[in-house]
Structure formats: structure tokens, C-alpha cells
Amino acid sequence: MLVDVIGLSRTDILLRKDDTLSESSVLRLSKYLDQLKSNKPLQYVLGYTWFSGLKFLVDENVLIPRPETEELIEWISSHPDSYRYSHLISPVSVVDIGAGSGCIAISLKNKFPESAVHAIDISKKAIDVARKNAELNFAEITFHEGDILSSDFQKSIFEKFDIIVSNPPYIRLAEMNNMSERVTMNEPHVALFVEDADPLIFYRSIADFAKTHLNRDGKLYFEINANLGKEVKDLLEESGFKNVELKKDMSGNDRLLMATGLPVQLIN
């Protein structure tokens, strides 16, 4: 908060710890502290956060980007020579499903500046935030408002992609009681939770989308519920995807998943 209010780095703040704050800075900090005491996340208090080296505006209409999702970005960018055809050094086309703040789509555009990047979200308010973030980070993104669970919406997307990536809702409602109230009271439930009876609903729908929208040897990437890694892996293998790989996050939990697209004769 001090970095935001007085515009100095953390190091400078330590070096100048005996400086007296202006009255306006004290007032602003006081307002911030009141919001924090009401259980509002710091990122929403400030109105922004940092992700993958970029600044992103955030509010209650979008999830706060997590470090695990940064790991997903790094994993995707570590495979630059494996997309579509071996002579390509980067993917030609990318789509992020459930874009939220746009942190995944914009970060991938930053990693692969020559790629055409698309972003899909059901929430118009989330897309509005993501558009602002695209402008803030000078990223050209094509946005689509729609429900990936709808077959009609899926058919309305005519592009095919080298990368399909998603961090969809995956927390079961039964798990809500184990979560911080700071999350459950502030962040959008539509982006977090799924019904206990069908926790894989988004993975199943996105896998169906990938069958018709993923280029030959394209890559499908997911962030997943750590308790459902085997189930998501089995789902993709049963759907015909190849080389399905689970990856643990920095905490040792099954959190990321990658699969290779279906043979060309099955997707055309």
C-alpha cells in the first residue's frame, strides 16, 4: 500500500522510513486499511495486481490472478517448438476460455507477440475489465462474449487454434467451507464454483470444443482442481487426446494439465 500511495519502491521506503507522510497520504492509507479490515482483498483495494510481469486492473467482476496460473503461462511458453508444425517457433493462434481479467490471454500475447490471441468469457463485465487490461498492456486481443457450455456458441467460433487454454470454474460447492471468506465474500462465484454433482462440466465441454477447434498437434492446457487431476486426465484420454500430462504446482499439488490434439482425420 505504501508503494502505491507514495510512489516509492520497497527499498526506498526502507531507506526513508523516518520520513513524514503527507496528510493526503495518511488519509488514503486510512481508507485502504478500512477496506482491508472489512475483509476486502488487497488487490481489489488497490484496483490492480501484477501477473507474469504485467500490471492488471482487477475488481469484483474478475478473479484475482494466482501464482499457480503464472506457472501455467510459464509451462505453455516452455514449449515454443512443439506447436502445430515443427518449423513454427511459436503458436499461430491461441484462445483463452474463461478469460476473466484477461491475464492468461494478454500474458500469452506478450510471450508470443506474432500470434492471434482470442479470449472468451460469459461475463460482459469481465470482458470490459479484460479489454481495459489489453489496452493497458498494448495487447491486441479478439474478445468473444458467450457461454462455452452452449453448443450453439461453440459453433459460432469459426477459428481453429494451436493452443486452447482454460482456467475454468473447478471448485466444488462442498469445498467452499474450507476457503477463506476473503475469497468467498468478494470474488465472483461464477468463475470459481461448480456443482458437486458434475465438477468436470467445463472440462468436458472444452474438450468437445477442442475436438473441432484445435489444429493438428495443437495443445490443450488446463488449470485444474488438485483433487480431480486423475479424473480430468481420464476424461481427456477417453476423449481421444494424446500425451496427456499432469504437472504439479510449486506446492506439490496436481494443478496443471496438457494434452495434444486429436489426429487430423478426427478433427476435420
Side-chain angles (χ1 to χ4, degrees):
M1 290 192 300
L2 280 168
V3 169
D4 181 75
V5 169
I6 61 179
L8 296 176
S9 69
R10 291 173 183 267
T11 302
D12 288 336
I13 288 172
L14 289 172
L15 292 174
R16 297 171 57 177
K17 60 184 180 181
D18 294 325
D19 285 9
T20 301
L21 293 176
S22 68
E23 184 176 343
S24 61
S25 293
V26 172
L27 180 61
R28 190 171 169 192
L29 281 169
S30 178
K31 289 181 179 178
Y32 280 177
L33 287 169
D34 286 342
Q35 293 180 70
L36 285 180
K37 286 188 286 187
S38 71
N39 229 10
K40 190 172 184 178
L42 175 62
Q43 295 89 339
Y44 288 164
V45 172
L46 297 178
Y48 67 86
T49 190
W50 293 90
F51 178 89
S52 196
L54 302 173
K55 186 176 182 178
F56 287 89
L57 306 176
V58 290
D59 62 22
E60 290 83 354
N61 295 300
V62 299
L63 290 182
I64 297 167
R66 280 9 185 224
E68 296 86 352
T69 310
E70 285 189 288
E71 292 184 68
L72 178 62
I73 298 298
E74 292 306 311
W75 198 26
I76 294 172
S77 61
S78 72
H79 297 116
D81 59 347
S82 62
Y83 300 113
R84 198 174 181 187
Y85 303 110
S86 60
H87 68 274
L88 289 181
I89 61 171
S90 67
V92 172
S93 54
V94 178
V95 62
D96 171 25
I97 299 173
S101 66
C103 64
I104 293 177
I106 293 165
S107 296
L108 289 176
K109 180 65 175 179
N110 184 57
K111 297 284 187 182
F112 305 122
E114 301 303 317
S115 299
V117 178
H118 296 246
I120 295 170
D121 204 285
I122 193 173
S123 167
K124 181 183 182 302
K125 291 181 178 180
I127 288 178
D128 289 342
V129 174
R131 287 187 191 279
K132 292 177 183 176
N133 283 323
E135 293 175 5
L136 177 66
N137 290 288
F138 305 100
E140 184 178 345
I141 309 290
T142 301
F143 290 97
H144 307 266
E145 181 184 345
D147 183 358
I148 197 62
L149 301 181
S150 164
S151 59
D152 287 341
F153 173 73
Q154 290 193 16
K155 292 173 184 175
S156 74
I157 305 295
F158 299 107
E159 294 83 2
K160 289 194 174 185
F161 305 97
D162 297 306
I163 293 176
I164 295 175
V165 57
S166 183
N167 176 19
Y170 59 63
I171 302 172
R172 291 170 290 193
L173 290 172
E175 298 173 293
M176 186 187 298
N177 291 335
N178 299 324
M179 299 175 65
S180 166
E181 287 188 355
R182 186 173 289 108
V183 174
T184 59
M185 290 174 57
N186 292 281
E187 298 194 59
H189 284 201
V190 68
L192 287 169
F193 297 108
V194 288
E195 296 291 336
D196 296 341
D198 192 7
L200 303 186
I201 183 171
F202 284 96
Y203 298 105
R204 187 181 306 109
S205 183
I206 294 168
D208 288 341
F209 177 81
K211 289 178 184 178
T212 54
H213 290 80
L214 193 61
N215 279 321
R216 187 180 75 193
D217 294 329
K219 303 294 182 182
L220 175 61
Y221 290 91
F222 283 127
E223 185 172 326
I224 63 173
N225 186 323
N227 299 312
L228 297 172
K230 182 181 184 301
E231 289 83 350
V232 180
K233 186 174 187 289
D234 289 347
L235 169 66
L236 293 181
E237 289 177 340
E238 291 166 6
S239 298
F241 289 88
K242 304 178 294 181
N243 305 321
V244 182
E245 179 182 350
L246 272 174
K247 184 176 175 66
K248 295 185 182 300
D249 62 18
M250 66 181 73
S251 300
N253 298 313
D254 288 337
R255 185 67 65 190
L256 311 176
L257 186 145
M258 176 181 69
T260 303
L262 303 174
V264 66
Q265 63 267 24
L266 296 182
I267 63 174
N268 286 339

